[in-house]
Amino acid sequence: MGGAAGSAGKLYLQQANGSFIIAPSQPWGLHQNSEDMGACWIDVDQDGDEDLYIASGSNEWPIGDELYRDRLYINDGAGNFSFAADAIPDIRLSSSCVRSADFDGDGDLDLFVGARIIPGKYPFPAKSSLLENENGVFKDVTNQYAREWEEAGLVTDAHWFDYDGDGDLDIIISAEWQALRIFRNDGSAFEEITSETKLDSYKGWWTSLTPCDLNSDGQIDFIAGNLGLNSRLKSKPDQSFEVYAADFDQNQTHDIVLGIQEAGQTYPLRGRECSSNQMPFIKEKFKTYDAFGRATLNEVYGDKLKDALHYEANWMASSYIENLGDGTFSVKALPMKAQISTVQGAMVSDVNHDGHQDVILAGNLYQMEVETPRQDASVGLVLLGDGKGELKAIPYSESGFFAAGDVKSIKKLRGPGGRTLVLTVNNNGPLNIHFVKQ
């Protein structure tokens, strides 16, 4: 369990009866001031036991701070871990996730490390990294194999899979303000092929990716979490929600402007009070709330928008990403009950034992800007699959699955007797364990 800054992570070991005890070896306490954003069990040195890579993130410290450095802990085979500072490059990015795979086919596991943000410079695209395992030591080979990851974006999740069936592993990446992006591994480099997949039109605030095969065709599909449709941050395929970033008031600070389209025009999302508190010139330019409320984004900020960083989102629905088997994907919004809040994660399990994959969703988003109510409506949701790609939402009163709160992650574990355990992790709250009935 990863810890926030000032609170060290903890390793728990499951016992034969299904209970958990705290492991005797907890060396990550030495780095308790780092913010644990992602973790990956990986046999780095191929000695048959699992080592632990932890990705560090946050927005609290200056760019390049030591607390952004990721960490690797080597297992001695008896469950004792030691910090291996020299086994990973000194990369100080605000990371979000880490995913292992043997991308180069040499028999050991390499790493994709997704970067969530450039501290203090949201929404400028952050650099994600590809780390190659060379005899138990990782080397940053991003520039050699994946130059486009220099601006991979505000990455939230990623998964390795063989997109084109050629025997090597490609990768799909989720992020804010962009489409789900697929990079094909051709053996010498990763090339983005998102436009070929028909995913490029669906730009969202994607939060998570969960592989599945809901239509039982042998192809890897995905459940993709998104902001949801129960928010003032609304968008449609033909009406975008937008962000601009620049020093609009020329005071040497970074400003963010949100806009929303209506009737062919883009208007400020935030009101006059909040906007003028950030940039006082607005209060002088627009003497009344009525005048500001009628003004377009261009009338408020003028030519400064032309040179600003600009992104837009037009698809906020959490979705079923169906692999059509011909190199393209179909994006289908999940049932409406899955759209009442932000989906932070999903897991796949045959909940009702009918031989078909079902989906369990969880998540909320309490951290919103001051004028936008927090996303807190979700109490978790079970979606029953029919084996043909259709999903039916089951209320918690029937499913028994209840996961309210600021849920940030959901994981599946195997319990005693093969029983399925569902773990939901809450920000500033407990870890909850749910049992799937046998």
Side-chain angles (χ1 to χ4, degrees):
M1 292 172 54
S7 178
K10 287 184 172 62
L11 174 62
Y12 290 85
L13 304 178
Q14 187 178 176
Q15 305 303 290
N17 64 359
S19 65
F20 290 83
I21 64 170
I22 296 178
S25 177
Q26 306 279 349
W28 21 88
L30 299 172
H31 304 100
Q32 65 176 3
N33 290 327
S34 295
E35 187 104 4
D36 302 336
M37 296 300 296
C40 179
W41 292 104
I42 173 176
D43 186 0
V44 172
D45 45 13
Q46 296 183 286
D47 62 354
D49 56 41
E50 296 290 311
D51 310 302
L52 181 63
Y53 186 103
I54 299 179
S56 303
S58 187
N59 192 44
E60 301 175 55
W61 306 290
I63 294 173
D65 194 282
E66 169 72 20
L67 292 174
Y68 290 121
R69 187 177 181 186
D70 293 350
R71 290 151 283 144
L72 177 65
Y73 302 90
I74 299 298
N75 186 350
D76 68 356
N80 301 305
F81 293 84
S82 58
F83 176 51
D86 296 332
I88 59 174
D90 187 1
I91 299 175
R92 303 184 184 189
L93 303 174
S94 183
S95 303
S96 61
C97 64
V98 53
R99 300 285 181 257
S100 65
D102 182 10
F103 86 90
D104 51 7
D106 66 353
D108 55 25
L109 291 174
D110 313 297
L111 294 171
F112 168 83
V113 183
R116 183 67 178 87
I117 195 173
I118 300 175
K121 302 197 76 172
Y122 180 93
F124 281 82
K127 174 191 173 183
S128 293
S129 302
L130 179 64
L131 305 184
E132 184 179 19
N133 187 342
E134 295 184 350
N135 300 315
V137 176
F138 288 99
K139 176 183 178 182
D140 184 359
V141 293
T142 311
N143 289 336
Q144 179 180 348
Y145 291 103
R147 288 185 177 273
E148 291 179 278
W149 296 357
E150 291 281 344
E151 294 188 349
L154 310 176
V155 173
T156 56
D157 204 352
H159 276 280
W160 297 94
F161 73 121
D162 188 358
Y163 159 78
D164 50 9
D166 65 352
D168 55 28
L169 291 174
D170 315 295
I171 195 167
I172 182 171
I173 296 173
S174 66
E176 282 186 18
W177 297 110
Q178 64 185 38
L180 299 174
R181 302 173 69 185
I182 293 183
F183 294 85
R184 181 168 54 204
N185 179 1
D186 67 7
S188 60
F190 286 88
E191 174 191 12
E192 182 168 11
I193 51 152
T194 305
S195 60
E196 299 175 21
T197 68
K198 297 185 178 180
L199 291 173
D200 56 322
S201 298
Y202 299 89
K203 298 177 182 178
W205 274 19
W206 301 107
T207 56
S208 61
L209 287 165
T210 303
C212 57
D213 182 14
L214 296 185
N215 56 2
S216 308
D217 65 352
Q219 304 288 337
I220 296 179
D221 312 311
F222 293 93
I223 296 296
N226 208 339
L227 179 70
L229 302 177
N230 187 25
S231 168
R232 72 190 289 255
L233 308 180
K234 296 184 181 298
S235 66
K236 301 177 182 178
D238 59 346
Q239 289 186 311
S240 297
F241 169 47
E242 304 183 27
V243 64
Y244 292 84
D247 181 8
F248 288 102
D249 52 2
Q250 298 181 323
N251 67 347
Q252 309 304 310
T253 60
H254 178 66
D255 302 312
I256 296 172
V257 171
L258 299 175
I260 194 161
Q261 290 187 4
E262 182 178 333
Q265 294 285 350
T266 303
Y267 295 89
L269 178 74
R270 304 183 76 189
R272 177 178 178 268
E273 183 174 359
C274 279
S275 298
S276 60
N277 285 341
Q278 180 184 9
M279 291 171 274
F281 79 86
I282 290 175
K283 189 174 290 187
E284 297 299 319
K285 188 174 182 178
F286 298 93
K287 301 296 185 182
T288 67
Y289 286 89
D290 179 70
F292 182 82
R294 295 176 184 274
T296 66
L297 207 66
N298 190 62
E299 289 170 337
V300 176
Y301 299 101
D303 290 340
K304 295 185 180 70
L305 292 175
K306 295 179 181 178
D307 297 323
L309 178 74
H310 175 222
Y311 291 125
E312 59 183 41
N314 61 1
W315 185 265
M316 293 301 194
S318 294
S319 302
Y320 164 42
I321 313 299
E322 182 185 359
N323 188 337
L324 300 180
D326 60 358
T328 66
F329 293 82
S330 172
V331 179
K332 302 175 183 178
L334 294 176
M336 190 54 66
K337 288 183 179 179
Q339 309 297 346
I340 64 173
S341 190
T342 302
V343 171
Q344 298 286 2
M347 58 161 280
V348 175
S349 182
D350 184 4
V351 174
N352 57 355
H353 310 294
D354 64 354
H356 305 311
Q357 289 188 350
D358 308 308
V359 179
I360 305 177
L361 305 175
N364 280 305
L365 181 61
Y366 286 12
Q367 300 75 29
M368 302 295 284
E369 57 93 13
V370 65
E371 288 187 336
T372 301
R374 70 186 192 180
Q375 300 280 91
D376 61 3
S378 175
V379 296
L381 184 66
V382 173
L383 300 172
L384 296 182
D386 64 357
K388 300 177 182 178
E390 297 298 325
L391 294 166
K392 178 183 178 181
I394 306 298
Y396 76 88
S397 58
E398 297 180 25
S399 71
F401 178 68
F402 185 84
D406 194 9
V407 178
K408 294 303 182 191
S409 182
I410 178 172
K411 298 294 181 185
K412 178 180 179 180
L413 284 185
R414 185 179 68 253
R419 193 174 190 183
T420 297
L421 309 182
V422 182
L423 279 66
T424 53
V425 183
N426 299 272
N427 183 45
N428 288 329
L431 180 149
N432 299 118
I433 299 180
H434 318 259
F435 297 88
V436 177
K437 288 185 177 180
Q438 292 180 304

